[in-house]
């Protein structure tokens, strides 16, 4: 009923060269869910049936029967293809203006063809002038096309910028009216079009009237240059209304020519404005990428600072152990009978702490034997063994063919993942799966950390034990995601049947922009030079 009411009202303000109800029809098809489409067919059937039955005695039953077919049903397959396949009105993002214009051309041509076929079946009254089907078809096509251009882009722009809550509509309208587009339209465009309309209505000759109509496309160009797509939409709607107002007769040929010109100008400006909007979005996305890169760099800096803090705490603990050993040495010098085994134990513990600290900063096994050996027998394995947590690493593919930078990054990711799992859950068994391959000329690696939960609460690591020994920052999953983002990676965390799994995929950096840092080799010096 709502659709039938709107359809009937817009037919009262539509003419042969300007059919606003076609724009209303296409707008509803583009925005209404599919489950309401049968109701739209029923709603349009009412006005169409009234027109058909009113003229059945004049044009015949065959014409009246074909008129009972609602035109909205003819356009439904075209609109469905545009919505499903071409994504004309996406859920997020701007309307695809090129697809909209193609859809407008197709449905306008389809409705024109249907009207011509129906007209061919009509009984022409005797004594009537012969029908010029080319002129009639042109009038119907331009009327449908311009009616759609007047209403549909404007409706879609309003739909795209609609507020999320109903109470914000008033603020949205107020902001739009106070914006630059609203002010410039009210201050410059409307007065200019009003002057051109007055000239066209008051002109004595067809040449002056036609010139005034032709000049009505200038505000469309000006608004499109100033405000892009939104300016072209608003300017095109106002210009088409102004041209329709100046139509002196119902079937005026000069008005049809002016409307063809305005339709061409509006179409061009819509495409031009859409391109300007795309360039603005690309520029905004570029700025957005810069902001994201800056945020990522700041987070990485904070993570490095946290890692340095953990390293500093480890150095303090090692310093305390060395200090305790020195005190015991001093006591042994005073009392030679002191236990030497306690001295040896403390010296070994201090040496082990310093080794763990150095190994956490840059694993020794990684430098000497590669990533696989570092993961299987390095600091992670030794640390988890001291906590009675089962651990193993499975590898597949050319893992050792990865660059040194990516191998170190994968080792850091595993350390952060192990630290996160062991400090948030009671882990009984932990397995690292590492796989590598090559695609499109770049090597990639997938790391999966499978944790098996345990009911023994003593297995949960508390405090900074793991953080010191693995040189982990202890900031959780955010660190893993940021480190993976540095290598174009993605992180996925999901629960398994008996635990939790962290999956990370990273890529080898592009060899072109990355410049290798040369390793500094210490210069060999003679004993005499060292003494000097």
């Amino acid at each position: 009923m709502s659709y039938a009411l709107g359809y009937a009202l817009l037919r009262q303000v539509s003419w042969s060269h300007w059919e606003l109800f076609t724009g209303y029809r296409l707008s509803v098809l583009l925005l209404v869910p599919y489950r309401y489409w049968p109701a739209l067919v029923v709603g349009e059937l009412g006005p169409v049936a009234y027109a058909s039955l009113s003229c059945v005695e004049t044009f015949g039953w065959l014409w009246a029967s074909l008129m009972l077919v609602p035109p909205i049903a003819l356009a439904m397959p075209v609109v469905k293809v545009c919505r499903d396949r071409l994504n004309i009105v996406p859920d997020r993002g701007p309307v695809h203006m090129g697809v909209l214009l193609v859809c407008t051309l197709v449905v306008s041509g389809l409705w024109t063809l249907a009207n011509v076929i129906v007209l061919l079946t009509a009984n022409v009254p005797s004594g009537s002038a012969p029908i010029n089907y080319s002129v009639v078809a042109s009038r119907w096509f331009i009327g449908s096309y311009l009616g759609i251009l007047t209403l549909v882009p404007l409706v879609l722009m309003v739909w795209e910028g609609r507020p999320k809550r109903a109470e914000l509509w008033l603020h949205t309208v107020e902001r739009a009216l106070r914006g630059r587009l609203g002010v410039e339209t009210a201050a410059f465009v409307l007065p200019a079009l009003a002057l051109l309309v007055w000239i066209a209505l008051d002109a004595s000759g067809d040449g002056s009237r036609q010139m005034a109509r032709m000049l009505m496309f200038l505000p469309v160009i000006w608004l499109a240059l100033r405000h892009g797509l939104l300016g072209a939409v608003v300017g095109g709607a106002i210009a088409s209304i102004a041209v329709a107002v100046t139509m002196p007769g119902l079937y005026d040929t000069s008005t049809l020519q002016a409307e063809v010109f305005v339709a061409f100008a509006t179409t061009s400006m819509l495409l031009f404005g859409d391109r300007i909007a795309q360039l603005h979005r690309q520029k905004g996305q570029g700025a957005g990428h810069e902001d994201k890169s800056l945020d990522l760099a700041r987070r990485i800096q904070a993570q490095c600072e946290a890692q340095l803090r953990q390293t500093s705490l480890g150095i303090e603990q090692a310093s305390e152990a060395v200090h305790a050993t020195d005190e015991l040495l001093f006591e042994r010098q005073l009392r030679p009978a002191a236990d030497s085994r306690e001295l040896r134990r403390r010296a070994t513990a201090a040496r082990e702490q310093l080794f763990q600290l150095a190994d956490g900063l840059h694993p020794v096994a990684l430098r000497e034997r590669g990533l696989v050996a570092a993961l299987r027998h390095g600091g992670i394995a030794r640390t988890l063994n001291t906590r009675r947590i089962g651990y193993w690493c499975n590898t597949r593919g050319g893992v050792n063919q990865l660059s040194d930078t990516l191998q170190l990054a994968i080792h850091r990711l595993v350390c952060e993942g192990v630290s996160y799992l062991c400090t948030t859950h009671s882990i009984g068994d932990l397995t690292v799966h590492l796989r590598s391959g090559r695609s499109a000329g770049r090597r990639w690696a997938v790391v999966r950390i499978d944790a098996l939960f345990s009911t023994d609460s003593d297995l949960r690591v508390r405090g900074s034990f793991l953080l010191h020994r693995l040189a982990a920052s202890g900031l959780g999953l955010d660190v893993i995601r940021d480190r993976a983002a540095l290598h174009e990676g993605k992180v996925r965390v999901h629960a398994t049947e008996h635990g939790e799994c962290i999956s990370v995929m990273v890529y080898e950096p592009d060899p072109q922009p990355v410049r290798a840092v040369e390793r500094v080799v210490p210069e060999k010096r003679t004993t005499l030079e060292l003494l000097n």
Side-chain angles (χ1 to χ4, degrees), residues 204-522:
S204 58
D206 292 338
S208 301
R209 182 183 298 112
Q210 198 70 355
M211 181 60 68
R213 289 171 178 166
M214 295 297 182
L215 291 176
M216 289 179 182
F217 78 95
L218 292 178
V220 182
I221 298 178
W222 186 71
L223 284 179
L225 293 175
R226 292 278 295 172
H227 303 281
L229 180 60
L230 188 57
V233 169
V234 175
I238 298 175
S240 62
I241 294 173
V243 172
V245 169
T246 62
M247 185 171 61
L250 194 57
Y251 302 107
D252 182 55
T253 307
S254 61
T255 304
L256 179 63
Q257 296 173 357
E259 286 185 337
V260 170
F261 190 75
V262 172
F264 174 76
T266 304
T267 303
S268 303
M269 289 302 102
L270 286 176
L271 292 175
F272 182 68
D274 185 55
R275 181 57 182 166
I276 293 176
Q278 289 179 4
L279 294 176
H280 283 306
R281 287 194 297 270
Q282 292 176 1
K283 183 179 179 181
Q285 289 175 358
H289 289 319
E290 293 178 359
D291 294 339
K292 290 181 180 178
S293 300
L294 186 58
D295 292 339
L296 179 61
R298 289 170 178 169
R299 292 197 301 270
I300 292 295
Q301 182 186 12
Q303 294 161 16
C304 292
E305 294 296 336
Q307 191 171 3
L308 289 175
R309 179 177 178 274
Q310 299 298 334
T311 305
S312 175
L313 293 176
I315 292 176
E316 289 182 5
Q317 292 183 357
S319 176
E320 292 176 0
V322 172
H323 177 70
T325 304
D326 292 340
E327 291 292 334
L328 191 59
L329 281 173
F330 182 72
E331 185 179 356
R332 182 175 176 79
Q333 290 177 0
L334 295 179
R335 293 186 293 110
D339 191 2
S340 61
R341 289 176 298 179
E342 177 67 17
L343 178 61
R344 186 177 295 108
R345 186 188 65 81
R346 293 198 178 193
T348 302
R351 188 167 59 252
E352 178 67 20
Q353 287 184 5
L354 291 174
F355 173 77
Q356 290 173 359
L357 184 62
D359 189 69
L361 291 176
H362 198 287
V364 178
L366 180 63
R367 295 197 302 268
E368 296 178 352
R369 293 179 292 172
L371 178 61
V372 177
L375 292 178
R376 287 181 176 175
H377 311 291
I380 299 176
R382 293 193 302 269
T383 303
L384 296 179
N385 184 46
T386 59
R387 304 297 298 186
R388 298 182 295 109
I389 298 176
Y391 170 78
W392 185 242
C393 175
N394 295 322
T395 61
R396 189 173 63 178
V399 176
N400 287 328
Q401 297 179 11
L402 299 171
S403 64
D404 295 341
T405 302
L406 191 59
Q407 289 189 28
L408 181 59
I410 292 173
H411 192 275
R412 297 293 188 202
L413 287 171
V414 175
C415 290
E416 294 288 351
V418 169
S419 174
Y420 166 75
L421 291 171
C422 292
T423 53
T424 54
H425 307 285
S426 296
I427 304 298
D429 189 78
L430 200 146
T431 306
V432 174
H433 303 273
L434 182 58
R435 184 163 59 96
S436 177
R438 178 183 292 272
S439 62
R442 296 181 64 187
R443 295 203 66 88
W444 50 265
V446 176
V447 183
R448 192 174 81 247
I449 308 174
D450 289 326
L452 181 64
F453 292 167
S454 174
T455 57
D456 187 1
S457 59
D458 293 336
L459 294 178
R460 182 171 178 178
V461 181
R462 294 175 175 83
S464 58
F465 173 78
L466 273 179
L467 304 182
H468 293 163
R469 302 195 67 168
L470 300 181
S473 62
L475 299 179
L477 290 174
D478 293 336
V479 179
I480 302 175
R481 292 192 177 94
D482 291 340
R483 288 184 180 273
L486 289 176
H487 298 274
E488 307 173 39
K490 297 180 180 180
V491 179
R492 181 171 175 261
V493 182
H494 62 277
T496 59
E497 185 178 358
H498 301 289
E500 192 171 77
C501 176
I502 300 176
S503 301
V504 185
M505 185 171 188
V506 291
Y507 293 90
E508 192 76 66
D510 191 357
Q512 296 297 330
V514 177
R515 298 179 59 185
V517 180
E518 295 183 0
R519 187 175 298 174
V520 179
V521 179

Side-chain angles (χ1 to χ4, degrees), residues 43-74:
E44 189 166 287
L45 186 60
V48 170
Y50 175 78
S52 173
L53 296 177
S54 300
C55 303
V56 64
E57 295 181 358
T58 305
F59 299 108
W61 281 101
L62 181 57
W63 176 88
S65 300
L66 293 178
M67 278 292 294
L68 288 176
V69 179
I72 193 172
L74 302 177

Side-chain angles (χ1 to χ4, degrees), residues 7-159:
Y7 183 87
L9 291 177
L10 285 176
R11 277 203 76 103
Q12 304 304 315
V13 293
S14 299
W15 296 278
S16 58
H17 303 342
W18 193 57
E19 300 176 352
L20 272 184
F21 59 87
T22 58
Y24 174 68
R25 180 189 295 156
L26 185 58
S27 300
V28 172
L29 283 178
L30 289 174
L31 299 178
V32 169
Y34 294 140
R35 62 181 181 273
Y36 296 125
W37 277 17
L40 298 179
V41 175
V42 176
E44 189 166 287
L45 186 60
V48 170
Y50 175 78
S52 173
L53 296 177
S54 300
C55 303
V56 64
E57 295 181 358
T58 305
F59 299 108
W61 281 101
L62 181 57
W63 176 88
S65 300
L66 293 178
M67 278 292 294
L68 288 176
V69 179
I72 193 172
L74 302 177
M76 283 181 177
V78 178
V79 176
K80 192 174 189 307
V81 170
C82 293
R83 288 180 61 171
D84 295 344
R85 301 291 182 86
L86 304 179
N87 198 20
I88 184 173
V89 185
D91 295 333
R92 295 182 179 179
V95 177
H96 294 163
M97 190 55 61
V99 180
L100 176 61
L101 293 175
V102 171
C103 180
T104 301
L105 285 172
V106 173
V107 297
S108 298
L110 187 62
W111 288 332
T112 302
L113 179 62
N115 289 335
V116 171
I117 292 175
V118 173
L119 183 61
L120 289 173
T121 63
N123 296 330
V124 181
S126 59
S128 301
I131 301 176
N132 190 341
Y133 289 97
S134 61
V135 175
V136 173
S138 301
R139 186 169 64 241
W140 278 336
F141 180 80
I142 291 299
S144 298
Y145 186 75
L146 195 58
I148 293 174
L149 288 186
T150 302
L151 201 58
V152 174
L154 193 60
V155 170
L156 293 181
M157 290 297 105
V158 173
W159 175 263

